[in-house]
């Protein structure tokens, strides 16, 4: 095992450190991005932790990769740390697993000055954040995301949850982390398919908010796929900066607020994920198809030019992501019905985030059902 992910083979030398601030008054925090940061996490945590007891929550895939370096750095900084390793996968986001973690919190004698450390992808972050939001009416937690998808989305913004058998993310809270620590070098261990899935969310930020960033991703997609540390750090920093700004304006996704824009492509994506029982596509892959579909709907509604929609689709494809459903995917009628069950459908009305250009998006509640239905009939692979 390579116990020091600050020196994995084949990854260029460390690049500059970046700090992005999420401004939320007394709940403000930093997203610290630096290659090799994991080995230094203990001293970084010392600056924000109220006490010395903490529990690291991870899964059995990530734990063996990064647990040892993290444990050494926490120990060197004088922390009294315990580790909970869970089975990998979405199944960990359950009330049963949360209960198991409450027991681990008591075993580790955590009190209100203690801190949870979420080490892993979005599942670990959401679950750990949920436990932190509820144990003793709320204790601190920090996010240490290890997938590109969780670095640029789930670890930032304080949405924490477990799943209910009837709906994903249905039992949750807004509980902001005290900090997000991102070490882009951990991405050296990320499977290719997951790296690409994370790029879907990176592309999303360009489409929804920043044409210049979209062009940066267009010019650097090859480097990003090759895991160039500088390109990845810049893409992560910019993505986090866009999300941080939006969360700072609209922490709780108020009606009419900008946080809903982060759901670009997600109305279609959630329908695809639900109808394929979360087996056929990774979340980022469903978002990639959903974004291409949202652009098609934007063109059909005469909001977006054909040229811009094609450009988005081409970038998604360049990132090695799907833009179409597969021939064997569920029927269009089933997928359309599932969009109505999406939690973003209000009072039976469909809600879509649509693009008016690359870099500007708006929420629309007035898309006629027929127009939305037609999107599911687009050619399949
Ligand atoms: N992933 C969307 C949000 O955090 O609001």
């Amino acid at each position: 095992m390579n116990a020091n992910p600050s020196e994995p083979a084949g990854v260029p030398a460390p690049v500059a450190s970046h700090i992005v601030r999420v401004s939320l008054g007394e709940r403000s925090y930093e997203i610290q991005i630096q290659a090799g940061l994991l080995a230094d996490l203990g001293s970084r945590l010392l600056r924000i932790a109220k006490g010395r007891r903490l529990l690291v929550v991870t899964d059995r895939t990530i734990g063996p990769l990064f647990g040892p370096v993290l444990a050494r750095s926490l120990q060197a900084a004088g922390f009294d740390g315990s580790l909970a390793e869970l089975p990998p996968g979405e199944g960990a986001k359950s009330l049963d697993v949360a209960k198991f973690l409450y027991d681990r919190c008591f075993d580790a004698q955590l009190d209100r000055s203690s801190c949870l450390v979420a080490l892993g992808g979005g599942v670990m972050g959401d679950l750990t954040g949920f436990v932190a939001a509820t144990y003793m009416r709320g204790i601190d937690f920090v996010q240490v995301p290890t997938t590109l998808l969780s670095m640029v989305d789930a670890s930032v913004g304080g949405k924490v949850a477990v799943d209910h058998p009837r709906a994903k993310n249905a039992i949750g809270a807004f509980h902001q982390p005290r900090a997000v620590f991102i070490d882009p070098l951990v991405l050296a261990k990320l499977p290719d398919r997951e790296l690409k899935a994370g790029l879907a969310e990176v592309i999303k930020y360009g489409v929804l908010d920043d044409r210049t960033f979209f062009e940066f991703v267009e010019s650097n997609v090859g480097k990003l796929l090759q895991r160039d540390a500088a390109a990845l750090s810049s893409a992560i920093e910019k993505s986090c900066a866009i999300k941080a700004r939006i969360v700072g304006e609209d922490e709780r996704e108020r009606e009419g607020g900008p946080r809903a824009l982060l759901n670009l492509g997600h109305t279609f994506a959630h329908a695809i994920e639900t109808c394929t029982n979360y087996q056929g596509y990774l979340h980022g892959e469903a978002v990639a198809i959903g974004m291409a579909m949202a652009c098609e709907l934007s063109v059909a509604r005469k909001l977006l030019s054909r040229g811009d929609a094609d450009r988005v689709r081409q970038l998604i494809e360049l990132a090695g992501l799907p833009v179409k459903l597969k021939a064997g995917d569920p029927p269009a009628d089933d997928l359309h019905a599932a969009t109505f069950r999406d939690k973003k459908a209000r009072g039976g009305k469909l809600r879509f985030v649509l693009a008016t250009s690359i870099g500007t998006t708006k929420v629309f509640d007035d898309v006629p059902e027929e127009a939305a239905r037609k999107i599911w009939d687009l050619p399949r692979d």
Side-chain angles (χ1 to χ4, degrees):
M1 186 189 75
N2 179 359
N4 185 358
S6 63
E7 296 165 4
V11 175
V15 289
S17 134
H18 304 275
I19 292 189
V20 175
R21 194 164 169 77
V22 185
S23 297
L24 289 168
E26 60 183 13
R27 292 182 306 289
S28 297
Y29 54 97
E30 283 182 355
I31 305 164
Q32 300 183 12
I33 306 160
Q34 180 155 35
L37 164 157
L38 213 52
D40 182 35
L41 198 88
S43 58
R44 290 174 189 249
L45 255 184
L46 268 185
R47 287 178 221 137
I48 54 168
K50 295 184 189 125
R52 290 291 165 271
R53 289 221 172 99
L54 47 83
L55 176 68
V56 178
V57 182
T58 189
D59 69 37
R60 288 190 196 125
T61 306
I62 298 301
L65 291 175
F66 308 120
V69 67
L70 191 63
R72 273 201 297 279
S73 110
L74 293 175
Q75 208 173 15
F79 282 103
D80 176 6
S82 307
L83 177 75
E85 265 186 10
L86 303 167
E90 183 78 21
K93 265 177 70 172
S94 72
L95 282 171
D96 285 343
V97 177
K99 182 174 174 296
F100 167 82
L101 284 179
Y102 295 134
D103 286 336
R104 296 305 313 270
C105 291
F106 283 112
D107 292 344
Q109 299 181 322
L110 301 195
D111 60 23
R112 301 217 46 212
S113 71
S114 307
C115 183
L116 299 186
V117 179
L119 173 69
V123 169
M124 284 303 115
D126 286 6
L127 168 73
T128 308
F130 177 79
V131 171
T134 43
Y135 180 72
M136 298 202 169
R137 296 203 182 88
I139 64 170
D140 287 347
F141 84 116
V142 296
Q143 294 268 19
V144 188
T146 59
T147 64
L148 182 57
L149 194 93
S150 60
M151 287 175 184
V152 298
D153 186 19
S155 68
V156 177
K159 280 189 179 174
V160 298
V162 293
D163 297 334
H164 185 274
R166 295 191 198 182
K168 260 173 79 93
N169 293 326
I171 316 293
F174 286 97
H175 186 59
Q176 299 294 341
R178 288 293 314 281
V180 182
F181 297 109
I182 298 178
D183 183 345
L185 292 191
V186 305
L187 297 176
K189 306 269 185 196
L190 192 69
D192 259 347
R193 189 173 166 199
E194 286 194 43
L195 183 84
K196 290 173 186 166
L199 285 178
E201 297 281 357
V202 171
I203 294 168
K204 181 191 83 174
Y205 289 110
V207 179
L208 81 89
D209 193 73
D210 190 332
R211 191 177 185 98
T212 307
F213 179 53
F214 180 89
E215 286 165 356
F216 167 86
V217 181
E218 267 183 336
S219 313
N220 287 277
V221 65
K223 284 186 181 172
L224 291 167
L225 287 167
Q226 285 158 18
R227 302 171 197 237
D228 176 276
L232 278 172
S233 290
S234 299
I236 294 165
E237 182 198 10
K238 188 65 197 176
S239 301
C240 287
I242 293 171
K243 179 147 189 190
R245 199 200 72 235
I246 291 174
V247 167
E249 288 168 18
D250 182 18
E251 183 182 11
R252 290 183 165 241
E253 201 170 328
R254 66 174 190 274
E255 192 60 31
R259 190 158 182 171
L261 299 176
L262 297 173
N263 293 321
L264 172 67
H266 283 60
T267 303
F268 292 117
H270 287 153
I272 295 168
E273 288 180 286
T274 309
C275 290
T276 53
N277 297 318
Y278 296 89
Q279 305 295 318
Y281 296 96
L282 297 177
H283 176 66
E285 293 168 343
V287 168
I289 300 173
M291 253 190 313
M293 289 181 161
C295 287
E296 288 307 319
L297 185 54
S298 307
V299 173
R301 302 293 299 148
K302 302 196 187 325
L303 298 165
L304 183 70
S305 70
R306 178 79 262 155
D308 272 358
D310 287 347
R311 215 168 142 185
V312 173
R313 185 175 37 73
Q314 278 155 13
L315 180 55
I316 297 170
E317 284 181 309
L318 276 176
L321 287 159
V323 289
K324 293 176 193 165
L325 291 169
K326 294 192 276 282
D329 281 338
D333 282 337
D334 293 6
L335 288 155
H336 182 61
T339 55
F340 281 94
R341 292 196 295 274
D342 189 274
K343 63 182 184 301
K344 279 167 283 303
R346 298 284 187 278
K349 269 192 165 181
L350 287 172
R351 170 167 289 185
F352 289 99
V353 180
L354 299 180
T356 48
S357 71
I358 292 176
T360 51
T361 34
K362 253 178 87 178
V363 174
F364 290 85
D365 284 321
D366 59 352
V367 175
E369 191 185 331
E370 254 174 51
R373 170 65 185 76
K374 271 192 191 153
I375 296 300
W376 295 112
D377 288 330
L378 287 169
R380 300 186 176 201
D381 258 344

